[in-house]
Amino acid sequence: MVRSFAFLLLATFAFGQGGALTPSEARTLLAVGVAEAEIAAVGVRLGGFATATLDELDLLVTAGATPSLVERFPVAEDPLKTLKALAERSESWKTPRNDVLLVPKGWRGVDIPVGEGACAYRIAPPSATDARAGVDPVLFVFIQEKSAIPAEGVAAVAERLEGVFARRLTASECPTRSVPAGTLHWRGRDVPLRRVETTTPKGAGTVAVAFDLLPDGRAIGLGYSAPESLRVACERHLEDLARSFAPVKTR
């Protein structure tokens, strides 16, 4: 018992600098004769198990890991398969302001004037000519080039945007209610995706928005409007659109 406790402390210190336990670290522990139960305990103490490629999992099996240990490591997406799937459903659109966005194939983008220092785009299939909230599938982008919003104010701004959507929809006689927020995987992390549910003569729909700041000071809002039948598809399109904004490298 004492030996196991000491081992856990040493392993946690040795491997804890990089966060979750990696497959490479697990192979090292297996190589020096550490029991799988103790390796699993290290992973728990570190907060989890890092994502792994299929090749890394194969190496772990070769090192003697049992399926129960291998299954603890989430499988990472294959970059080539991800890019291929993205290319099959998306295309590049160069906006009138020279932004390059990933948009769903066949959809059309429109530049919306919103004032000096900011721009907005609406992206929709040709059939969505009116872009009716909660009825037509539409993506939208808002970019403020020089934002004075502090990082700690992002959540408050997103809440205000949600309120603006709700008020406008209510003013147009569409009953609305806020529903639990989702997440948008954006620039390597999960950003809250705030949703407002609408009821229209055409049925239920959703309007949603995510908001973030880039290190260069730009404030960006991404969102969609969709009937309930297309909500999941539009959220996937929004994830693809978010890929248009890579992290800005700063020194």
Side-chain angles (χ1 to χ4, degrees):
M1 178 65 70
V2 173
R3 189 193 70 82
S4 295
F5 180 71
F7 162 74
L8 288 176
L9 288 178
L10 289 172
T12 300
F13 176 79
F15 296 126
Q17 306 304 315
L21 186 71
T22 68
S24 176
E25 292 166 346
R27 292 203 315 274
T28 299
L29 295 175
L30 285 170
V32 297
V34 178
E36 284 195 1
E38 293 178 333
I39 295 175
V42 170
V44 172
R45 286 179 66 88
L46 293 178
F49 299 81
T51 57
T53 66
L54 293 177
D55 288 342
E56 288 174 324
L57 294 181
D58 285 342
L59 289 174
L60 195 55
V61 171
T62 301
T66 65
S68 62
L69 178 60
V70 173
E71 290 170 1
R72 287 179 176 270
F73 294 90
V75 180
E77 287 187 348
D78 184 326
L80 291 179
K81 288 183 179 180
T82 299
L83 289 174
K84 181 180 178 181
L86 186 63
E88 288 175 348
R89 63 178 179 265
S90 303
E91 60 188 14
S92 297
W93 173 54
K94 188 173 184 178
T95 74
R97 297 171 184 261
N98 294 321
D99 295 302
V100 178
L101 305 179
L102 283 172
V103 303
K105 280 191 174 179
W107 288 35
R108 298 174 181 173
V110 178
D111 184 24
I112 304 173
V114 291
E116 187 176 352
C119 58
Y121 309 113
R122 185 177 70 239
I123 304 158
S127 59
T129 55
D130 297 328
R132 294 165 295 178
V135 176
D136 298 306
V138 178
L139 304 179
F140 52 87
V141 182
F142 171 81
I143 303 174
Q144 178 71 47
E145 290 298 336
K146 294 182 180 180
S147 169
I149 302 169
E152 58 272 18
V154 171
V157 171
E159 289 177 3
R160 287 201 295 271
L161 286 174
E162 179 184 293
V164 169
F165 285 134
R167 288 193 298 273
R168 289 188 176 182
L169 291 170
T170 301
S172 64
E173 299 182 354
C174 291
T176 64
R177 68 184 183 94
S178 295
V179 293
T183 55
L184 176 66
H185 192 67
W186 192 357
R187 301 172 52 244
R189 59 193 180 86
D190 290 331
V191 175
L193 181 64
R194 301 179 182 277
R195 303 186 182 109
V196 175
E197 189 177 81
T198 70
T199 302
T200 73
K202 297 287 186 178
T206 301
V207 178
V209 63
F211 184 79
D212 201 10
L213 292 177
L214 296 185
D216 63 0
R218 287 183 296 166
I220 300 180
L222 300 180
Y224 72 85
S225 172
E228 183 58 31
S229 61
L230 295 177
R231 180 180 61 82
V232 174
C234 279
E235 292 202 358
R236 183 60 183 270
H237 290 324
L238 196 67
E239 291 272 359
D240 293 342
L241 179 62
R243 294 173 185 264
S244 306
F245 301 94
V248 176
K249 295 182 180 180
T250 58
R251 293 184 178 181

